[in-house]
Amino acid sequence: MIRYLFNRLLQGVIVLIVLFTLTFFLVKALPGGPFQTEKAIPEHAKARMEAYYGLDKPMPVQFVKRATNLLKGDPGVSFRLEGREVSEIISQAFPVSLQLGLVAITIAIGIGIPLGVIAAWKKNTILDYSAMALAMIGICLPSFVIGPILADRFGQKWEVLPAMGWATLNPLFWILPAITLGLVSAAYLSRLTRAGMLDTLNQDFVRTARAKGVSQKDILIRHCLRGGLSPAVAYIGPAFAGIISGSLVIESVFALPGLGTHFIKAIETGDEPVLTGIVLLFGILIILANFATDLLAFWLNPRLRS
Amino acid sequence: MIRLFQLLALCLAISACQKETLVEKANREGIFLMGNGAEPKSLDHQMVTGVPESKIVGALFEGLVGDHPSDDAATPPGAAESWTHNEDMTEWVFKLQPNGRWSDGAPVTAHDFVFSYHRMLSPALAAPYVEMLYFIDQAEEFNKEEITDFEKVGVKALDDLTLQIKLKEPVPFLPSLTRHYTWFPVPRHVIIQHGEMSDRFTDWSEFPNLVGNGPFKLAVWRFHDLIEVERNPYYWDAKNVHLNGIRFLPIENPYTETRAFRAGQLHTTYRLPTDLIRDMLENEPEQLRQEPYVGTVFIRFNTTRPALSDPRVRQALSMTINRSDYCEYIAEGYTPATSLTPQMGEYSAEPMLEFNPEKARQLLAEAGYPDGEGFPRYSILISRPAARAGAEALQAMWRQHLNILVDIQNKDWGSYIGAQQSLDYDMAAAGWIGDYLDPTTFLNMWTEGNGNNNTAWHNERYEQLLDEAAVQSEPARRFDLMRQAETILMKEQPIAPISWYARNYLLRPEVKGWYPLLLDNHPWKSVRLESSASPSISTE
């Protein structure tokens, strides 16, 4: 177990180093650069700005400097929101993305798992078909279609929920973006749960339990749920990280102050410090989520422990 | 499923029926809610170049001369109560408001203005918009380190409340120019608390350190969420400020912004997508504003390309643009351009642009491409999906009238700008917004070596006329010289102007003291909310 943990940690560090190096050189390869504006900046001023940020140095020198600063715990200063620390930007935006992600994954679990269980339980009935059809729609309809439709209906037409914006303490602002974001994961979860549950329901021990006269409810919840949820659980971890890092479209549709907006703007403006900061954060999140998923799988499936 | 949605909607409606919309609440509180397009790069106005920044800076700071709510040409007092100039308009003296105060209560003095211009011109600060101050005598030399003694630059505090500005040439529009944020003061006493004068981006311009001399002061700043300003009790004209605060929301997606407006979350939008104009005209025309804006849409030609180096070819391409069709179907609300510079004040350029396909074909034949034969296959460079419709219209017009084929090349913003600056393009869909109300803001850029020219075109006579105009202090003669220069530009056509800008946006009827303005700088102190005028915004 310890050896396994150590291996995972080492892999994580290697992944982060590769991520940083790739992101750094890719963003530098983008055309444009951080000080390219519509109205031309005088050459001498531009040269000064580049010198100020060390952008006039050769690429390897810049890379070593950035890497050293990062190791010292200094993620740098944004080029786009000039003068603002990357840590300040992330510490404002990450809680929004995290909160939105938590609400969205809760919605996804709350809808997806019961739907999957019901579909498996009532296999090949109208309930099963409707649940799976719904899931298919959820998978196929992209969030940039669902988001504007929800905002248009609930926000603009019926005026019952805010059409955009974010308020940390007002749940009314969370509902539409979280539903939009959670629906796709809910759809996947319901299909995975159905498959996992069906697999378990066909096992011998279920037949034995039935023969012993155990009630249907007990079979489902006490005997099958733990095993049947394995595929779904394996999905939840990465899905949660994906929800947090993949809310770019939702943030634009609902004008949310999360990481996605900074991410896109950083790419558009060649804002390397912010971009690498966010990429590394996403990297850490995904590594942690996978790790948590592994631990959960250990707990759910005793055979893995050996 | 639909039932479920309806049920959910009903529940929410019941829970929300007692609730007022955000706009209604803001009306009650005297807070103005504004869609502001994008997150500002900074609120240090000496370090920015954008329009979203200018709206917020206009609430936090004030220049020497104020903005009039409805008259572009008027020059009401701002941080200065009065001003005089010498006969040839090269030397100006501004008398500051005796009770001018920063938002921390410190007096606004002429020394603050001298400090501000010193800071902006300091080479180490590398202010991106520094050229706006080059009108001042020796300013350019100081900024380019040709002189190092700031004493020689033409700004001086004669006493605490008297500022003298010496210019390198007559600038009759100086009062209008000082309304641009590059001319606004910065608080010396705060800046030196947070670093050296020419340090880039110290935290003086962040909340809660920022101190301004405008009608409002900074109250909240959350990235990509909102910037809120509240009344500045020390403002010299505080009794005439109507609003209690303004919330600037950096909504980048124009469709999201429009939805927010219609859902009662905004008093005004930053823009309105063209494809929603008709819908607004049909359903809520009283909220739609279509106003002239001092800017021009044009096609930029790379005159180093063999065919495009011939003025006859450029003229032929320009003559086959049907500008009235373009404005009717593509750029709604815009006006067909008859020259580069839109009408501003006393200046109007000769109407030179015409739609004449027959003459165009003749010109193209003279240039060696009869019926478009042998004409190279060039492309139009664009950077936004919204520009595609316009480029396609040009594609069709040139094919129909000149029998030539052009492609459309879409690049991301950085590559689009970079391609033009390095002359790595054929033709580019472009535009220019004036910084101040004088034709020089449109004409000076087409000179040799200007960073915004990007056509490789230059003309000695054109530059000579502009130079002559620059030293001319008699306004009519000055404009006449500029008109002659513009005529040369429009004969040579390194650019083909298509339309003059309009601003399409939404504004709620309870907003008062807000009138059409060419530069779109609505003085915040004049804006007020009349909540009784609030109608239902439901469209059904």
Side-chain angles (χ1 to χ4, degrees):
Chain A
M1 186 74 179
I2 303 261
R3 193 189 164 85
Y4 168 80
L5 286 179
F6 180 76
N7 273 344
R8 287 313 287 256
L9 191 74
L10 197 70
Q11 281 171 15
V13 171
I14 293 169
V15 166
L16 288 181
I17 292 172
V18 172
L19 260 184
F20 170 69
T21 314
L22 273 179
T23 314
F24 181 88
F25 286 104
L26 281 176
V27 72
K28 293 288 177 189
L30 285 176
F35 305 119
Q36 193 142 44
T37 54
E38 189 175 11
K39 289 186 178 170
I41 298 174
E43 278 306 317
H44 63 284
K46 202 169 173 178
R48 283 268 184 180
M49 286 157 87
E50 286 178 347
Y52 183 83
Y53 289 107
L55 299 177
D56 53 343
K57 303 263 184 336
M59 202 67 81
V61 178
Q62 290 185 39
F63 178 74
V64 171
K65 190 165 174 235
R66 282 284 291 134
T68 329
N69 285 345
L70 262 180
L71 283 178
K72 284 186 201 152
D74 171 21
V77 178
S78 168
F79 299 153
R80 177 175 71 97
L81 304 173
E82 276 194 68
R84 294 308 190 104
E85 304 269 340
V86 174
S87 48
E88 183 190 1
I89 291 172
I90 290 183
S91 65
Q92 276 196 25
F94 182 56
V96 176
S97 292
L98 186 69
Q99 190 181 352
L100 174 64
L102 282 173
V103 181
I105 201 80
T106 311
I107 288 177
I109 294 172
I111 297 177
I113 290 185
L115 217 59
V117 172
I118 292 169
W121 181 29
K122 301 281 179 190
K123 193 179 83 171
N124 296 340
T125 63
I126 184 82
L127 261 177
D128 179 19
Y129 297 142
S130 342
M132 286 307 104
L134 213 67
M136 212 39 163
I137 293 173
I139 291 170
C140 297
L141 268 186
S143 50
F144 56 84
V145 173
I146 299 178
I149 290 177
L150 290 182
D152 186 69
R153 297 288 113 177
F154 290 93
Q156 185 180 315
K157 211 153 196 173
W158 300 324
E159 286 185 26
V160 287
L161 288 171
M164 59 116 229
W166 185 257
T168 313
L169 298 176
N170 186 349
L172 286 179
F173 280 87
W174 314 342
I175 298 176
L176 293 183
I179 288 182
T180 316
L181 197 53
L183 274 185
V184 179
S185 302
Y188 276 111
L189 269 179
S190 66
R191 291 186 67 86
L192 288 171
T193 309
R194 179 180 180 271
M197 287 299 282
L198 277 182
D199 202 34
T200 319
L201 282 169
N202 286 333
Q203 305 264 338
D204 289 344
F205 74 88
V206 175
R207 201 176 318 136
T208 314
R210 280 214 177 101
K212 280 166 66 184
V214 180
S215 75
Q216 187 73 9
K217 195 182 107 200
D218 275 356
I219 290 180
L220 264 182
I221 294 174
R222 285 193 49 197
H223 295 279
C224 296
L225 206 54
R226 194 157 156 177
L229 279 187
S230 289
V233 167
Y235 172 76
I236 289 176
F240 180 55
I243 277 181
I244 291 181
S245 60
S247 59
L248 320 178
V249 177
I250 306 300
E251 288 187 18
S252 168
V253 168
F254 292 99
L256 306 179
L259 282 174
T261 314
H262 287 287
F263 195 64
I264 296 277
K265 298 307 282 183
I267 295 173
E268 280 176 5
T269 54
D271 191 354
E272 177 268 316
V274 172
L275 194 67
T276 40
I278 298 178
V279 166
L280 286 181
L281 179 71
F282 285 165
I284 293 172
L285 269 181
I286 291 171
I287 290 169
L288 284 181
N290 282 333
F291 188 59
T293 311
D294 285 350
L295 290 185
L296 228 109
F298 275 133
W299 176 71
L300 284 174
N301 189 347
R303 268 175 297 180
L304 285 176
R305 276 173 236 168
S306 56
Chain B
M1 187 66 185
I2 292 169
R3 281 253 169 106
L4 190 74
F5 264 69
Q6 284 174 344
L7 193 70
L8 184 61
L10 190 71
C11 295
L12 289 168
I14 292 166
S15 72
C17 66
Q18 296 297 321
K19 234 179 71 183
E20 54 189 353
T21 64
L22 289 175
V23 155
E24 285 159 359
K25 183 163 179 272
N27 286 344
R28 207 161 35 74
E29 295 170 343
I31 308 270
F32 187 79
L33 307 176
M34 173 169 179
N36 199 34
E39 175 70 22
K41 188 178 174 70
S42 165
L43 290 183
D44 179 346
H45 54 80
Q46 299 194 320
M47 305 307 284
V48 299
T49 56
V51 178
E53 287 87 350
S54 76
K55 306 288 175 205
I56 308 169
V57 166
L60 299 173
F61 295 88
E62 186 177 46
L64 291 163
V65 176
D67 283 295
H68 190 275
S70 60
D71 182 356
D72 283 299
T75 49
E81 62 170 356
S82 65
W83 48 91
T84 53
H85 57 79
N86 65 355
E87 204 178 329
D88 70 354
M89 298 189 179
T90 53
E91 204 176 302
W92 295 68
V93 174
F94 290 85
K95 277 274 174 206
L96 301 191
Q97 298 284 356
N99 52 349
R101 293 273 181 279
W102 293 100
S103 54
D104 61 354
V108 177
T109 68
H111 304 286
D112 285 317
F113 279 89
V114 175
F115 173 85
S116 306
Y117 302 152
H118 189 176
R119 177 174 187 258
M120 178 99 175
L121 289 166
S122 295
L125 188 74
Y129 226 160
V130 66
E131 284 168 329
M132 286 292 286
L133 293 190
Y134 284 1
F135 294 94
I136 301 172
D137 190 36
Q138 300 291 315
E140 184 171 355
E141 287 79 357
F142 181 77
N143 183 239
K144 291 186 172 163
E145 296 180 86
E146 288 159 21
I147 59 168
T148 50
D149 183 6
F150 190 73
E151 290 288 311
K152 290 187 181 147
V153 178
V155 271
K156 206 179 204 175
L158 300 181
D159 60 50
D160 279 357
L161 293 179
T162 314
L163 177 72
Q164 183 195 50
I165 301 181
K166 283 186 185 163
L167 305 170
K168 68 176 173 192
E169 49 206 29
V171 181
F173 57 95
L174 184 72
S176 162
L177 190 66
T178 62
R179 298 191 295 197
H180 192 273
Y181 57 79
T182 44
W183 286 77
F184 289 4
V186 288
R188 179 175 70 155
H189 61 293
V190 180
I191 288 180
I192 51 179
Q193 251 177 39
H194 293 272
E196 296 291 313
M197 175 181 78
S198 53
D199 280 352
R200 286 174 69 83
F201 301 106
T202 63
D203 47 13
W204 84 267
S205 57
E206 295 168 18
F207 180 77
N209 308 327
L210 190 134
V211 162
N213 69 330
F216 296 92
K217 59 177 185 169
L218 191 59
V220 181
W221 185 352
R222 291 199 298 266
F223 298 133
H224 288 290
D225 190 5
L226 85 113
I227 285 185
E228 184 164 339
V229 298
E230 61 190 17
R231 288 172 77 101
N232 169 11
Y234 293 106
Y235 180 57
W236 66 273
D237 199 18
K239 64 179 188 305
N240 287 319
V241 177
H242 304 284
L243 295 172
N244 290 325
I246 309 165
R247 250 170 244 155
F248 297 94
L249 303 167
I251 311 169
E252 302 226 359
N253 183 329
Y255 296 93
T256 301
E257 190 188 34
T258 308
R259 268 198 300 274
F261 179 88
R262 296 175 94 171
Q265 288 186 262
L266 293 175
H267 282 111
T268 186
T269 63
Y270 188 72
R271 56 171 90 83
L272 178 68
T274 318
D275 48 341
L276 295 183
I277 294 176
R278 300 234 156 174
D279 182 45
M280 286 308 294
L281 269 174
E282 278 165 24
N283 294 313
E284 292 157 271
E286 72 287 355
Q287 319 222 30
L288 172 67
R289 294 292 187 109
Q290 295 187 289
E291 294 161 3
Y293 187 37
V294 59
T296 308
V297 176
F298 55 83
I299 290 290
R300 174 179 265 130
F301 295 118
N302 178 357
T303 63
T304 62
R305 292 283 188 266
L308 297 176
S309 63
D310 189 331
R312 288 171 299 188
V313 171
R314 304 195 296 258
Q315 283 168 2
L317 289 169
S318 168
M319 263 179 212
T320 38
I321 300 173
N322 188 335
R323 295 175 170 82
S324 46
D325 272 6
Y326 186 93
C327 291
E328 190 176 344
Y329 300 109
I330 310 278
E332 275 192 70
Y334 286 40
T335 319
T338 58
S339 186
L340 170 66
T341 312
Q343 168 83 34
M344 47 167 83
E346 301 286 299
Y347 182 86
S348 58
E350 292 286 329
M352 297 281 290
L353 303 172
E354 53 171 346
F355 176 62
N356 190 342
E358 206 162 304
K359 194 171 166 195
R361 277 191 289 272
Q362 197 184 328
L363 282 168
L364 198 66
E366 282 171 21
Y369 307 102
D371 195 31
E373 251 173 62
F375 194 84
R377 185 142 181 173
Y378 286 137
S379 56
I380 308 174
L381 180 65
I382 60 171
S383 75
R384 293 170 299 122
R388 182 166 281 275
E392 282 172 358
L394 295 180
Q395 231 179 359
M397 288 172 190
W398 289 336
R399 184 176 188 170
Q400 183 189 350
H401 300 300
L402 298 174
N403 195 28
I404 60 173
L405 294 176
V406 293
D407 296 320
I408 296 172
Q409 194 182 16
N410 196 351
K411 288 194 173 181
D412 69 274
W413 183 246
S415 316
Y416 163 84
I417 299 283
Q420 291 181 70
Q421 287 173 353
S422 57
L423 291 176
D424 182 21
Y425 75 104
D426 306 321
M427 303 181 242
W432 187 258
I433 306 289
D435 290 320
Y436 47 88
L437 291 181
D438 188 80
T440 47
T441 187
F442 283 94
L443 298 179
N444 283 353
M445 60 194 272
W446 307 108
T447 50
E448 190 175 8
N450 188 297
N452 293 310
N453 183 331
N454 301 334
T455 62
W457 176 87
H458 62 97
N459 179 298
E460 250 175 60
R461 180 68 189 142
Y462 177 78
E463 290 180 24
Q464 198 185 339
L465 283 165
L466 286 184
D467 288 344
E468 277 175 40
V471 292
Q472 185 59 247
S473 56
E474 206 266 299
R477 174 78 190 127
R478 187 170 167 272
F479 279 173
D480 187 48
L481 289 163
M482 289 184 189
R483 206 171 286 118
Q484 288 178 38
E486 185 158 353
T487 304
I488 293 178
L489 185 73
M490 286 298 97
K491 269 188 187 152
E492 291 268 321
Q493 299 230 325
I495 50 162
I498 301 176
S499 60
W500 288 325
Y501 265 91
R503 262 206 8 101
N504 296 312
Y505 65 102
L506 303 172
L507 183 75
R508 288 181 62 92
E510 64 261 39
V511 180
K512 303 293 173 194
W514 181 294
Y515 304 92
L517 286 173
L518 276 177
L519 285 172
D520 195 39
N521 289 331
H522 303 275
W524 287 115
K525 69 176 171 190
S526 312
V527 177
R528 57 183 203 281
L529 297 167
E530 280 183 8
S531 48
S532 56
S534 167
S536 160
I537 60 158
S538 169
T539 54
E540 294 179 334

